Amino acid sequence: MYLQPPFDNESSTCPFCQENTISHGIVQQIENYFDETYSCSIDQINHFLSRYSLALEQIASLDSYKSIPFSIESLPKLTEFHGKLTKNLEANARSIEAKKNSPSTSISLIDTRNDFASFNEFLKGINEKISKHNEKLDNVGAELDKLKQKFWGLMRWEYDQTISALEAQVIRSNQRIVKSNEREKIASDIITSKKSKIALLQKSTVNIDDAINNINEGLVQIGISDFSIAKHNDSLYKIVRLANSTAEFSSLSEGEKMIISFLYFCELCKGKRSAEEVTGKKVAVIDDPISSLSHIFVFNIGRLIKSEFFDSEDFEQVFVFTHSLYFFYELADSNHIKRKESQKLFRLLKNNMGSQILKMSYEEVQNDYHSYWSVVADAAQPPALIANCMRNIVEYFFNFVQKQDLNNVTRRPELQGSRHQAFCRYINRESHSLGQNIFDYKEFDYGSFREGLKLIFEVTGYIEHHEKMIAVLGK
């Protein structure tokens, strides 16, 4: 029986005589009567109980194991091991609790070592599956290659007969191609020999024949065959259009004039202006040679500049100016190492403050849409250019990207205030690609136009796009 100590100086009831005779002194005498063995035994029981309680707490619930995909297929076995282990641990905990309440009672605990070993071995198998899966994720490229090899191996086996027949046909076709190439080479050598003889004969006549030949060959390489040039006298050329030997230079289109002028420029750079001129290193400046040209000639002009100027040792420096992004990418060396060694990139900027030449990296080159945002963000740009770029931004985004009518966009009630009327009037103008239809400069206010542009994106639900473009390209 457990003896309850009294509170403070009071006496408590004796469990035997039911009188208030139990004082602190009597309790102390009774406790002194017993030795420390009893207390040690109680402490040991409490220690065992704490260990079992901790073990029970550390074992995850069955639901937590069920949430792991790799344990689903082994769920019955997992439930069995988990249930047996927790059941035995709980039974031992109850036995220890009973021993604590009745120290004199003898108890026997269930040996759970095998239960733990079996459960841990089972979990080890699941963990191995997880580890293998993680290894595959860490080497996803190699695993995909294995799948591809298996797939194409299967395909190869299924279509072996078709593939074998195709391979045999390819071999026969390649043999015929080799023979055709041999015949073509023989014919080409004959043509080259004849051309060499013609060129030698022409060199013996006048000095400008080489230039005429080179210009005409350049026209053919570019893809122009309906006109050529011929010698007019010892120092002049003339245009020959098909059978018409009296065609004039004015009969050519702007693009044709640009091409033949550029070819003449190439020949002029290779030669001398006079017989007395001393040969030396040259500097060539080429200003937008593809203006007025169809896009189909951009590649040819780019190849010609590379072969005649970039790859030539006769030129110390070559400056090329262009507005065309396509032409820029055609001339810029795609190999960043070679580009760094032989090319330098610059951006020429013009605004109300003057002109600037700034160094530029290859990665800074933007498309037209990004360039519009850069202009809009620069308050020093001419008002007509800023307003026109705003018009291009709004039309591109809403007409082409979001498929919205531009007129409906600017009719939103939020844009009808007097502050944004000038902005809306310009955005709604029919012609937007030319600056000459810009309103009176007194009507342009940079702040209100910037607010109007932002408001359009805000009321249409695309304010994040506006903020992103300003953050990346603007100010």
Side-chain angles (χ1 to χ4, degrees):
M1 180 175 291
Y2 179 71
L3 182 64
Q4 179 68 36
F7 295 99
D8 298 331
N9 295 324
E10 298 178 357
S11 298
S12 61
T13 304
C14 176
F16 300 103
C17 67
Q18 303 299 319
E19 298 293 335
N20 293 333
T21 59
I22 304 302
S23 64
H24 278 283
I26 293 176
V27 171
Q28 187 64 42
Q29 293 177 15
I30 295 173
E31 289 179 348
N32 292 337
Y33 179 79
F34 295 97
D35 58 16
E36 294 182 354
T37 303
Y38 179 79
S39 298
C40 292
S41 299
I42 294 299
D43 291 340
Q44 189 175 11
I45 293 173
N46 287 331
H47 176 68
F48 286 143
L49 183 59
S50 297
R51 286 181 58 189
Y52 265 85
S53 298
L54 180 61
L56 280 169
E57 291 175 359
Q58 290 179 342
I59 296 178
S61 65
L62 184 61
D63 290 337
S64 64
Y65 289 110
K66 290 180 179 179
S67 64
I68 301 174
F70 295 94
S71 65
I72 293 177
E73 61 182 17
S74 305
L75 192 56
K77 202 70 175 177
L78 175 64
T79 304
E80 177 185 347
F81 284 130
H82 185 275
K84 184 178 180 181
L85 178 60
T86 54
K87 177 182 177 182
N88 290 338
L89 288 176
E90 289 172 353
N92 284 344
R94 288 193 297 270
S95 297
I96 297 172
E97 186 70 32
K99 178 70 174 178
K100 175 184 175 182
N101 295 331
S102 180
S104 61
T105 304
S106 177
I107 64 170
S108 297
L109 298 181
I110 303 172
D111 188 351
T112 58
R113 287 176 294 182
N114 291 335
D115 297 334
F116 270 109
S118 299
F119 187 60
N120 288 333
E121 187 66 24
F122 184 78
L123 293 181
K124 181 180 178 181
I126 295 178
N127 288 330
E128 288 177 353
K129 294 180 181 179
I130 296 174
S131 297
K132 290 181 180 179
H133 178 72
N134 291 337
E135 288 178 3
K136 291 181 179 180
L137 292 179
D138 293 338
N139 300 281
V140 63
E143 295 299 322
L144 287 175
D145 289 339
K146 290 179 182 178
L147 289 176
K148 290 179 181 178
Q149 290 176 1
K150 291 181 180 179
F151 172 79
W152 289 116
L154 179 61
M155 292 296 102
R156 183 65 176 84
W157 181 79
E158 290 185 354
Y159 294 96
D160 180 74
Q161 184 176 2
T162 303
I163 294 174
S164 298
L166 177 62
E167 289 176 344
Q169 184 178 354
V170 168
I171 292 174
R172 292 192 297 270
S173 298
N174 287 337
Q175 291 173 347
R176 289 195 291 268
I177 291 173
V178 169
K179 292 180 180 179
S180 297
N181 289 338
E182 291 175 353
R183 291 193 298 269
E184 181 183 4
K185 185 178 182 306
I186 294 173
S188 178
D189 291 341
I190 294 174
I191 293 173
T192 301
S193 176
K194 296 296 183 182
K195 285 184 176 180
S196 298
K197 291 180 180 180
I198 293 173
L200 289 174
L201 292 174
Q202 289 179 339
K203 285 182 180 179
S204 64
T205 56
V206 291
N207 292 332
I208 66 172
D209 288 348
D210 286 339
I212 292 175
N213 290 337
N214 292 337
I215 292 175
N216 286 333
E217 287 181 3
L219 290 172
V220 173
Q221 291 176 3
I222 290 176
I224 297 176
S225 58
D226 57 342
F227 76 92
S228 61
I229 65 170
K231 187 171 76 171
H232 179 65
N233 56 36
D234 290 343
S235 59
L236 297 177
Y237 310 91
K238 66 178 181 179
I239 299 296
V240 177
R241 186 183 289 277
L242 297 179
N244 183 7
S245 62
T246 60
E248 297 182 357
F249 185 78
S250 59
S251 67
L252 302 178
S253 67
E254 289 299 318
E256 291 172 336
K257 291 178 181 178
M258 175 64 73
I259 290 175
I260 199 168
S261 298
F262 182 73
L263 292 173
Y264 176 78
F265 170 77
C266 293
E267 291 302 310
L268 184 62
C269 289
K270 290 189 294 184
K272 300 179 182 179
R273 289 178 293 179
S274 66
E276 294 76 24
E277 183 177 338
V278 178
T279 303
K281 293 289 185 179
K282 304 174 184 178
V283 176
V285 180
I286 306 172
D287 185 12
D288 209 3
I290 63 167
S291 61
S292 304
L293 294 185
S294 171
H295 68 279
I296 61 176
F297 297 122
V298 173
F299 173 81
N300 305 84
I301 296 297
R303 295 291 93 187
L304 193 61
I305 290 177
K306 285 185 176 181
S307 61
E308 297 293 340
F309 294 92
F310 289 3
D311 298 335
S312 174
E313 296 180 356
D314 296 333
F315 296 92
E316 188 74 26
Q317 287 180 308
V318 179
F319 295 88
V320 182
F321 298 85
T322 184
H323 298 279
S324 171
L325 286 172
Y326 180 84
F327 189 61
F328 168 83
Y329 286 123
E330 179 59 37
L331 291 181
D333 201 315
S334 58
N335 186 311
H336 70 281
I337 297 177
K338 294 182 179 179
R339 184 172 64 246
K340 185 177 180 180
E341 292 175 349
S342 62
Q343 296 182 342
K344 291 185 180 298
L345 306 179
F346 298 91
R347 184 190 301 276
L348 178 61
L349 300 178
K350 295 182 180 180
N351 55 31
N352 294 337
M353 306 300 294
S355 300
Q356 289 180 298
I357 298 177
L358 305 176
K359 288 185 177 181
M360 179 182 67
S361 68
Y362 184 81
E363 292 74 20
E364 290 175 10
V365 181
Q366 305 162 343
N367 59 37
D368 292 339
Y369 183 68
H370 288 83
S371 299
Y372 295 151
W373 283 96
S374 297
V375 172
V376 167
D378 185 2
Q381 294 290 344
L385 179 60
I386 295 175
N388 200 43
C389 286
M390 287 184 176
R391 176 66 163 78
N392 286 332
I393 288 172
V394 174
E395 181 180 67
Y396 177 88
F397 186 83
F398 290 97
N399 277 5
F400 299 110
V401 177
Q402 298 301 325
K403 307 299 182 183
Q404 296 187 35
D405 183 73
L406 187 61
N407 192 40
N408 293 334
V409 173
T410 56
R411 289 184 181 276
R412 298 293 183 97
E414 296 87 343
L415 292 164
Q416 303 310 307
S418 58
R419 179 173 175 79
H420 303 123
Q421 283 303 299
F423 171 78
C424 290
R425 282 199 299 274
Y426 185 75
I427 294 300
N428 278 322
R429 290 184 176 227
E430 292 181 0
S431 177
H432 59 277
S433 59
L434 299 175
Q436 62 265 27
N437 71 336
I438 187 66
F439 43 79
D440 189 355
Y441 285 1
K442 297 189 296 292
E443 199 176 24
F444 179 84
D445 176 72
Y446 181 74
S448 64
F449 268 55
R450 278 289 296 268
E451 290 177 9
L453 181 64
K454 180 178 180 180
L455 193 57
I456 280 183
F457 283 90
E458 183 176 354
V459 300
T460 53
Y462 300 104
I463 187 61
E464 292 184 358
H465 177 73
H466 175 276
E467 299 303 324
K468 179 180 179 181
M469 297 304 296
I470 290 297
V472 174
L473 302 167
K475 301 176 181 176

